[in-house]
Amino acid sequence: MDFQFDLEPEDLKDELTAEDRPTSERRELEAPVPPPVPKRVRKKGPGVQSVHMLKQCRTARSLEKQYEKEIPWAVIPPEQHSVFRQAEEKQYDEHIKYQALEPLSLEESARVRECVDKSRILSSRFAYKDKNWSRRKLDSSLPWKLKARIVVSGHRDPDIGLLDTDAPTINRLSVLTIMQLVASRRQSHGWEASAGDITAAFLNGDALERVLYLRQPRSGLASLHPDQLLRITKGIFGLPDSPRKWWRRFRKDMLAVRLSVEGVEYKFVQNALDPCLFQLVPSDNEASEPAAYAGVHVDDILVAGDKKMSEAIRNALSSIFPVDDWEINSFDYIGSHIEVNDSGVFISQEAYAGGRLFQIDIGKGQEDEEPASEEQRIDNQSLIGALSWLGSQSRPDIQCSVSLAQQLQKNPSVADLKFTNQIARRAWDHRDKGIWLRPLKLESLEFLVYHDSAWANAELTGEDGFRLEYEDHVSGVMKNTPFDIKERKAKRANSKVASQFGSLIFLTDGEQYSAGGGIGSILDWKSCSEAIEMGQYVRSFVQTVLRGRLQRVQDLSGSQLKCITDCKSLFDHLHREGIPRIPSDKRLAIDLAALRQYLCEEQANGKPPLFWVPTEFQLADILTKPKCADSWWATVWGAVRLPFISKDATKHR
């Protein structure tokens, strides 16, 4: 059983100072009341919907992290109060302008209170934010970039269990793919990238199809009488179905866009594999290759195309949606900074790392085996969360270490805290690194699929039909982790080995490949064992984006895909003539048979596209073992070597 306080968000704290008390037009403050009595609630069953409000922070760092998302009124400097009040008025005016709220008269409000179920009258509050809060750590001269938002208590929506709330957002692979097109076509076709933010996106969504009313925030709204209610007519912030209503409106308007460039009419169609990626094609020929692209992540729009097409798209979208100023070739998008120049497209999170990374304080007398204090545990979780976001968006080099740290964050020891601090130091040392998409020849792309695995507790034992060589066993053992001094359990209950898998897709072109290596781009990375399937999907995805039509795996088989391993035992086993002896471990037997079948389907010139490289050339090694990434970054930002390419082979390629 848990204890839960059943509170309205605005009842948590009276944040108004004496000089900011409501005027005669604002609601009178209620008399002090005793604190609420904790209510026992069951853990099982549907439970109670969580409240979107400020949490009670227990450490200074968690409080600082919270302030990046929302600032309590009491923390706002007095000299900024009047500006935030103006922001409140601006926010309310936007709701009226876009017809998202409809004020009721006093008489209508009284009738609603008398006749309508109380559950359909939702409370509200103002949420305050300074968008420069974290950036000011690096540059104290930055001004306040403030925002006030009306938030409705959507967790109390009486229809919450009956609503469709799903709404897609553009995925990482889509962003990297269209940015790769920009990098490859910038010099030859003058391509550029631009981004714009839609103002008050939810207020531009579809109309609300149910009856809901809003009670004013405690500080009141503009010139309204404190007893006036407002009818909610659109999906305002806080309602559970607001994102879906906005997405439906955005998709409908995007598909209705028609624009003319050099006498040709164009329209948008959705990509077959990512509904949030829109492809610009001639209106009379949807099957042609796209001339430009537009992607959306909630209210952030990304546009890619040549200068003339991009300008036409921006003008068309600005005429439909209230878009803030467009930024071209240098902008922030989904938490990353994107920079476009003649050397390619660079995606980094240096500003995020500067604002979110820190070192957990560890006392001089604390021994490695001691459990962490509660404050240390909370800070450890916060730091791992920041590192996880970096690893998933632009820093493959720390993803393995973050995965190991996540497995230890529930009850960490002091040694585990030191491991997390080490990850943060390594992330900080390479804070200027990120994904560099290089100019490649799109007509001759090659997808290099690097796959690696590691283990913490495997023994070198015999296996009928397949035996791991001693060198492969040694190179696969994880070292310098907290599991060096503690047992690591397998993730799967029916497995004896605690393993770590990693796959990385490195994109290059035919010229670089034939030369035995060269420049390229990291296009995708994951902690997974299905490397070939991942490579096939990425290949189909990129070709689908390029051609504008769905490219199935079987239609592309036998081309462009090269699988690379540093496990000689696996390489030799899969290259044996005839059917090799079946291992006694049935799961291993099935996995090896599946690998052989996939490679057979991808054969080129009668040979499976599986190649062996020494471990120093294995790019996925960083995804399975925590290590310093100096040499790894030097390789992926320099030139990747493919030692299996011989001069004789390239002549007949």
Side-chain angles (χ1 to χ4, degrees):
M1 305 290 282
D2 286 338
F3 288 100
Q4 176 171 323
F5 291 102
D6 196 11
L7 297 177
E8 296 291 335
E10 66 270 22
D11 289 336
L12 289 178
K13 184 189 293 184
D14 182 6
E15 298 173 344
L16 300 180
T17 58
E19 64 270 19
D20 293 298
R21 295 296 186 189
T23 63
S24 58
E25 296 178 340
R26 296 180 180 268
R27 186 185 304 276
E28 292 292 327
L29 293 177
E30 299 176 356
V33 295
V37 178
K39 181 174 64 177
R40 293 171 69 84
V41 294
R42 296 179 61 85
K43 279 188 175 181
K44 296 182 179 180
V48 180
Q49 297 294 329
S50 61
V51 183
H52 186 72
M53 65 172 74
L54 293 175
K55 296 180 180 179
Q56 183 178 1
C57 298
R58 289 177 284 178
T59 73
R61 286 199 174 95
S62 60
L63 184 64
E64 185 67 22
K65 177 183 175 182
Q66 177 180 277
Y67 288 168
E68 295 177 13
K69 300 178 180 179
E70 183 177 340
I71 310 172
W73 181 263
V75 177
I76 300 173
E79 61 270 18
Q80 297 291 337
H81 285 184
S82 62
V83 189
F84 270 97
R85 290 302 182 204
Q86 294 173 14
E88 289 181 6
E89 295 180 8
K90 178 183 177 182
Q91 172 76 174
Y92 174 63
D93 290 342
E94 285 182 347
H95 282 68
I96 299 301
K97 174 183 177 181
Y98 296 113
Q99 301 178 347
L101 290 176
E102 178 187 338
L104 304 181
S105 66
L106 285 171
E107 293 76 13
E108 291 173 320
S109 300
R111 283 197 298 271
V112 167
R113 286 191 175 92
E114 181 180 353
C115 302
V116 175
D117 190 296
K118 291 182 179 180
S119 66
R120 297 203 167 271
I121 305 176
L122 302 177
S123 61
S124 66
R125 67 186 179 95
F126 275 112
Y128 307 104
K129 182 175 182 178
D130 172 24
K131 294 184 177 180
N132 281 339
W133 184 274
S134 60
R135 292 177 179 270
R136 203 175 290 111
K137 293 180 182 178
L138 303 177
D139 184 359
S140 59
S141 65
L142 286 175
W144 280 68
K145 191 175 181 181
L146 48 85
K147 182 179 181 65
R149 188 194 297 274
I150 296 175
V151 182
V152 66
S153 54
H155 63 290
R156 297 184 181 278
D157 191 324
D159 306 316
I160 195 168
L162 306 173
L163 300 174
D164 292 327
T165 59
D166 58 300
T169 55
I170 193 169
N171 63 55
R172 181 184 71 189
L173 182 56
S174 293
V175 174
L176 293 182
T177 299
I178 59 177
M179 288 300 98
Q180 178 62 61
L181 302 190
V182 172
S184 296
R185 292 172 172 170
R186 174 172 170 77
Q187 295 190 55
S188 60
H189 296 79
W191 272 45
E192 64 183 18
S194 53
D197 178 28
I198 299 176
T199 303
F202 286 177
L203 307 187
N204 287 276
D206 285 345
L208 201 67
E209 299 165 341
R210 50 207 175 93
V211 178
L212 289 176
Y213 299 92
L214 179 137
R215 190 163 58 245
Q216 296 179 51
R218 174 169 292 187
S219 56
L221 290 173
S223 59
L224 296 184
H225 187 279
D227 291 334
Q228 282 184 264
L229 298 176
L230 298 95
R231 181 180 290 110
I232 303 175
T233 54
K234 287 188 178 180
I236 65 177
F237 195 86
L239 292 181
D241 56 339
S242 292
R244 179 176 175 82
K245 288 187 174 298
W246 159 241
W247 161 247
R248 290 175 58 185
R249 169 68 186 279
F250 180 87
R251 179 183 59 186
K252 180 180 67 176
D253 288 352
M254 283 291 288
L255 297 179
V257 167
R258 297 293 183 273
L259 56 90
S260 180
V261 178
E262 296 183 345
V264 179
E265 184 185 81
Y266 292 88
K267 68 176 183 179
F268 281 111
V269 295
Q270 287 177 280
N271 179 269
L273 295 176
D274 186 349
C276 293
L277 180 59
F278 295 83
Q279 303 165 165
L280 190 70
V281 296
S283 298
D284 59 355
N285 186 11
E286 291 188 14
S288 66
E289 293 188 3
Y293 303 86
V296 63
H297 188 279
V298 189
D299 57 355
D300 295 320
I301 303 178
L302 180 65
V303 174
D306 65 39
K307 291 184 178 180
K308 189 170 291 186
M309 284 290 185
S310 295
E311 184 178 5
I313 293 173
R314 291 194 294 267
N315 291 337
L317 297 185
S318 294
S319 68
I320 302 172
F321 308 111
V323 181
D324 284 345
D325 292 338
W326 291 90
E327 296 177 290
I328 302 174
N329 288 340
S330 181
F331 51 84
D332 291 336
Y333 190 74
I334 322 180
S336 298
H337 182 73
I338 297 179
E339 193 77 27
V340 180
N341 54 46
D342 289 343
S343 64
V345 176
F346 181 53
I347 302 174
S348 73
Q349 293 178 285
E350 184 174 2
Y352 179 84
R356 288 296 309 278
L357 297 184
F358 59 88
Q359 290 287 293
I360 304 168
D361 296 327
I362 299 176
K364 291 184 178 180
Q366 287 187 283
E367 299 292 337
D368 285 356
E369 63 274 10
E370 289 183 25
S373 68
E374 180 64 9
E375 181 174 351
Q376 288 174 327
R377 185 189 67 81
I378 294 171
D379 284 345
N380 185 57
Q381 286 183 333
S382 176
L383 182 54
I384 290 174
L387 291 166
S388 177
W389 176 246
L390 282 173
S392 68
Q393 297 301 305
S394 65
R395 296 290 302 277
D397 58 309
I398 64 172
Q399 190 170 56
C400 171
S401 299
V402 172
S403 176
L404 296 176
Q406 287 173 328
Q407 298 171 39
L408 300 166
Q409 64 180 336
K410 186 176 181 180
N411 297 301
S413 66
V414 172
D416 300 336
L417 302 181
K418 292 179 179 179
F419 182 65
T420 304
N421 278 344
Q422 181 190 66
I423 305 172
R425 285 194 299 271
R426 287 175 173 174
W428 177 257
D429 289 343
H430 294 290
R431 61 190 179 279
D432 59 331
K433 299 297 191 296
I435 303 302
W436 186 4
L437 304 169
R438 316 288 277 275
L440 301 172
K441 296 180 179 179
L442 299 176
E443 64 275 9
S444 63
L445 293 177
E446 294 285 350
F447 296 81
L448 307 183
V449 183
Y450 289 87
H451 176 260
D452 193 47
S453 61
W455 42 83
N457 60 355
E459 297 179 358
L460 184 60
T461 57
E463 168 61 55
D464 292 337
F466 181 82
R467 182 183 297 274
L468 195 66
E469 295 182 3
Y470 177 76
E471 292 78 7
D472 291 332
H473 173 81
V474 172
S475 65
V477 176
M478 280 185 283
K479 301 176 182 178
N480 303 317
T481 78
F483 296 107
D484 292 349
I485 57 175
K486 67 175 70 176
E487 179 184 2
R488 184 183 179 203
K489 297 181 179 179
K491 295 180 181 178
R492 293 186 292 190
N494 57 348
S495 176
K496 298 179 181 179
V497 179
S499 55
Q500 194 81 18
F501 297 99
S503 301
L504 182 143
I505 310 297
F506 190 81
L507 190 66
T508 188
D509 59 31
E511 180 180 336
Q512 310 292 325
Y513 181 84
S514 297
I519 64 169
S521 308
I522 294 177
L523 204 59
D524 203 6
W525 64 95
K526 290 180 181 177
S527 295
C528 66
S529 58
E530 296 80 12
I532 297 181
E533 296 97 312
M534 176 180 167
Q536 290 175 328
Y537 174 77
V538 172
R539 179 185 60 184
S540 291
F541 188 93
V542 172
Q543 292 300 336
T544 296
V545 172
L546 271 172
R547 303 180 190 183
R549 305 175 305 281
L550 180 63
Q551 303 298 305
R552 298 182 300 175
V553 170
Q554 55 266 40
D555 296 333
L556 301 173
S557 293
S559 65
Q560 300 181 301
L561 198 68
K562 308 294 186 294
C563 301
I564 300 173
T565 180
D566 64 346
C567 181
K568 196 67 165 59
S569 309
L570 178 66
F571 175 82
D572 291 341
H573 181 86
L574 294 174
H575 277 79
R576 288 175 186 165
E577 294 293 337
I579 301 177
R581 185 177 178 183
I582 299 176
S584 58
D585 186 315
K586 300 308 178 186
R587 179 190 295 161
L588 176 60
I590 293 173
D591 288 344
L592 289 173
L595 272 174
R596 181 176 288 272
Q597 179 176 330
Y598 279 124
L599 291 170
C600 182
E601 293 171 355
E602 292 288 345
Q603 281 192 93
N605 300 322
K607 294 183 179 181
L610 177 65
F611 302 91
W612 176 82
V613 296
T615 299
E616 58 265 29
F617 300 115
Q618 171 60 275
L619 296 187
D621 199 48
I622 199 78
L623 294 173
T624 61
K625 306 171 190 71
K627 55 173 59 179
C628 176
D630 292 350
S631 60
W632 186 84
W633 280 114
T635 298
V636 297
W637 273 29
V640 172
R641 289 185 58 191
L642 305 173
F644 53 83
I645 299 295
S646 65
K647 293 182 179 180
D648 292 336
T650 57
K651 290 180 181 179
H652 303 287
R653 186 176 177 273

